[in-house]
Amino acid sequence: MAPVTGAGCGEEMYALVERLYPLCRSITGDGVRATLKIVDEYLPLQLHEVPTGTQVLDWTVPQEWNIRDAYIADAAGKRVVDLAASSLHVLGYSVPVSRTMPLSELRAHLHTLPDHPAWVPYRTSYYQPDWGFCLAQETLDALPDGQYEVRIDSTLADGHLTYAEHVVPGQVPDEVIVSCHVCHPSLANDNLAGIAVAAYLARALAEQTPYYTYRFVFAPGTIGAITWLARNKERVAQVKHGLVLACAGDSGQLTYKRSRRGDAEIDRVLRHVLTVSGRPHEVREFTPYGYDERQYCSPGFDLGVGSLSRTPYAEYPEYHTSADNLGFVSPEAMADTLAVCREAFAVLDRNRRYLNLSPYGEPQLGRRGLYDSLGGRSDAKQAQMAMLWVLSLSDGEHGLLDVAERAGLPFDTVAAAADALRDAGLVKA
């Protein structure tokens, strides 16, 4: 595979989103498997199948849902609503239906967006047996009274919940978990962009030897993360940091939502990286609503897992509608999200505590050639201050991120100073 660098990376992620977009996904079923099969072409995945009825924490793995066809046809046999045109057209988890009924009766099972008459909404009924169709309000308004054939060729039966993992081995067994949801149908930003960024982030990390072990989880929202936690209780102690990726491809500014702890290392890292980068951004406090960060941060686990998105869920009109389409996301936005993730994990991987080996007074840097090494640098003064700050705070209690924050210096400058001091025998990790 080609290295994950350059402007073409955004185009490659967009191409992956294009391939995934037509598939009809839900929290279980062949749509999830087809999605993961495609991702597996970009990133080798380990697939997990959890049987219906399995107890997972306070939940139970539901029956598996699959659908082959769904439509509403008028008296002439013309399909006025058709699953083949968009996977959003059917209510997710609809039970099978084969009937003819008047429009007056059918209306109770139709979902529209009157405020956006050209858009089709995304609706589901995972845990309450129901059936229905989603369509544009303008399509509904054009339907004459009369009889309509209603057909939903679906199955709801015992099967499995499917999720997948990819592990990038690190120098230590301590883990960073990166999680994204794979359950939404044709929604490019809320779902697919996060999958693409996660896949390419894993590939980028595999090109180096990271300090931490990185575990990528591709799972259905809510029930998938709960299932992963239930099946990995013994591993949770190894998870030191984590990030949930969602809404990763729109044109909005980056938004980071802190972990429940509020001051976890991942929270500080993302705040630092976003601030130093100069990108427009917002850092928000944790709330127990949103994506799967709320599962990883639940009080029994209390993991340091935050969430990174561009425009947050439900804060753009296109959210959970057909307007969240391929035109709503861009290669440039996904590439920018990926870049921030790479910058953040580079900081996380290098954030070590150091011990000053010459702590009594300031060591003489000149005779060790450290000042000479700065002579050709445009940021020589900043680099010199970074060395002095690293020496001052290398007490075994402060990490390099502490140094960068307190000194008001870029992390990379501080890390480079620490490397130089270590090579000169003045500090050790």
Side-chain angles (χ1 to χ4, degrees):
M1 293 183 180
V4 184
T5 56
C9 183
E11 298 291 344
E12 291 177 20
M13 287 188 287
Y14 187 86
L16 173 55
V17 170
E18 281 187 304
R19 290 186 65 189
L20 297 175
Y21 184 75
L23 300 178
C24 186
R25 278 168 292 273
S26 189
I27 56 173
T28 62
D30 292 334
V32 174
R33 295 186 186 97
T35 297
L36 296 175
K37 184 177 180 181
I38 290 174
V39 175
D40 184 69
E41 297 175 23
Y42 296 74
L43 184 74
L45 297 178
Q46 180 183 6
L47 218 62
H48 301 273
E49 299 274 11
V50 185
T52 296
T54 301
Q55 189 71 28
V56 286
L57 306 180
D58 196 46
W59 295 58
T60 304
V61 173
Q63 289 189 309
E64 181 177 324
W65 183 71
N66 286 293
I67 188 164
R68 288 168 289 276
D69 195 13
Y71 62 86
I72 301 172
D74 61 18
K78 178 185 176 182
R79 294 191 177 192
V80 295
V81 179
D82 192 351
L83 177 67
S86 171
S87 63
L88 295 176
H89 274 313
V90 70
L91 177 76
Y93 255 63
S94 282
V95 298
V97 177
S98 183
R99 294 175 56 189
T100 298
M101 64 182 69
L103 181 60
S104 58
E105 182 181 348
L106 178 57
R107 282 181 181 274
H109 297 276
L110 302 181
H111 304 271
T112 65
L113 293 167
D115 291 343
H116 296 283
W119 297 357
V120 176
Y122 164 55
R123 299 287 184 268
T124 64
S125 185
Y126 295 142
Y127 302 106
Q128 181 66 39
D130 199 359
W131 65 269
F133 290 86
C134 300
L135 66 159
Q137 181 68 45
E138 61 187 22
T139 301
L140 177 58
D141 291 343
L143 295 181
D145 289 334
Q147 297 291 314
Y148 289 85
E149 179 190 0
V150 178
R151 171 76 167 164
I152 298 178
D153 183 10
S154 64
T155 57
L156 192 58
D158 287 354
H160 296 83
L161 178 146
T162 309
Y163 70 91
E165 294 177 287
H166 176 87
V167 177
V168 179
Q171 300 170 39
V172 297
D174 291 344
E175 292 188 359
V176 179
I177 188 170
V178 180
S179 180
C180 60
H181 58 290
V182 297
C183 51
H184 288 8
S186 299
L187 300 175
N189 193 46
D190 180 17
N191 200 36
L192 301 181
I195 294 172
V197 170
Y200 275 75
L201 176 58
R203 288 176 57 178
L205 289 167
E207 292 172 3
Q208 56 203 56
T209 305
Y211 178 75
Y212 289 108
T213 293
Y214 286 83
R215 182 175 299 274
F216 288 77
V217 178
F218 300 84
T222 304
I223 186 65
I226 286 171
T227 299
W228 186 90
L229 286 164
R231 289 165 55 88
N232 289 275
K233 285 185 176 180
E234 77 289 343
R235 178 174 284 120
V236 165
Q238 292 178 227
V239 177
K240 305 304 179 185
H241 319 281
L243 191 64
V244 170
L245 290 172
C247 302
D250 69 89
S251 61
Q253 69 178 16
L254 283 155
T255 302
Y256 177 71
K257 175 183 173 182
R258 298 178 191 267
S259 71
R260 175 179 173 271
R261 297 179 190 174
D263 61 350
E265 190 172 341
I266 191 71
D267 302 328
R268 297 173 56 212
V269 166
L270 262 298
R271 182 187 63 194
H272 178 81
V273 165
L274 289 169
T275 300
V276 170
S277 74
R279 292 176 174 90
H281 70 277
E282 182 181 359
V283 176
R284 296 187 175 186
E285 297 303 317
F286 175 81
T287 62
Y289 186 76
Y291 289 108
D292 286 329
E293 68 279 356
R294 69 191 197 273
Q295 311 306 336
Y296 299 115
C297 293
S298 56
F301 295 107
D302 193 27
L303 299 177
V305 176
S307 177
L308 183 67
S309 63
R310 302 194 73 85
T311 306
Y313 64 91
E315 294 187 22
Y316 52 96
E318 298 84 357
Y319 177 76
H320 280 192
T321 77
S322 58
D324 184 356
N325 54 32
L326 293 172
F328 186 64
V329 299
S330 72
E332 295 77 15
M334 284 186 280
D336 186 52
T337 306
L338 174 62
V340 168
C341 291
R342 294 185 68 177
E343 292 165 23
F345 287 163
V347 172
L348 197 65
D349 252 21
R350 297 176 69 189
N351 186 28
R352 301 282 171 276
R353 294 179 179 180
Y354 284 79
L355 188 64
N356 189 333
L357 300 179
S358 182
Y360 299 102
E362 181 181 308
Q364 190 176 24
L365 302 181
R367 70 178 174 84
R368 293 177 170 87
L370 291 171
Y371 282 144
D372 294 340
S373 69
L374 304 177
R377 293 180 54 158
S378 60
D379 63 341
K381 182 64 176 177
Q382 190 180 66
Q384 178 183 337
M385 287 303 301
M387 286 188 185
L388 296 176
W389 272 109
V390 170
L391 287 168
S392 179
L393 294 179
S394 289
D395 52 9
E397 299 295 326
H398 295 84
L400 295 185
L401 183 57
D402 295 314
V403 178
E405 290 178 335
R406 186 163 175 183
L409 294 170
F411 182 89
D412 285 348
T413 302
V414 171
D419 289 344
L421 292 168
R422 181 199 61 211
D423 293 344
L426 288 174
V427 299
K428 69 174 183 180

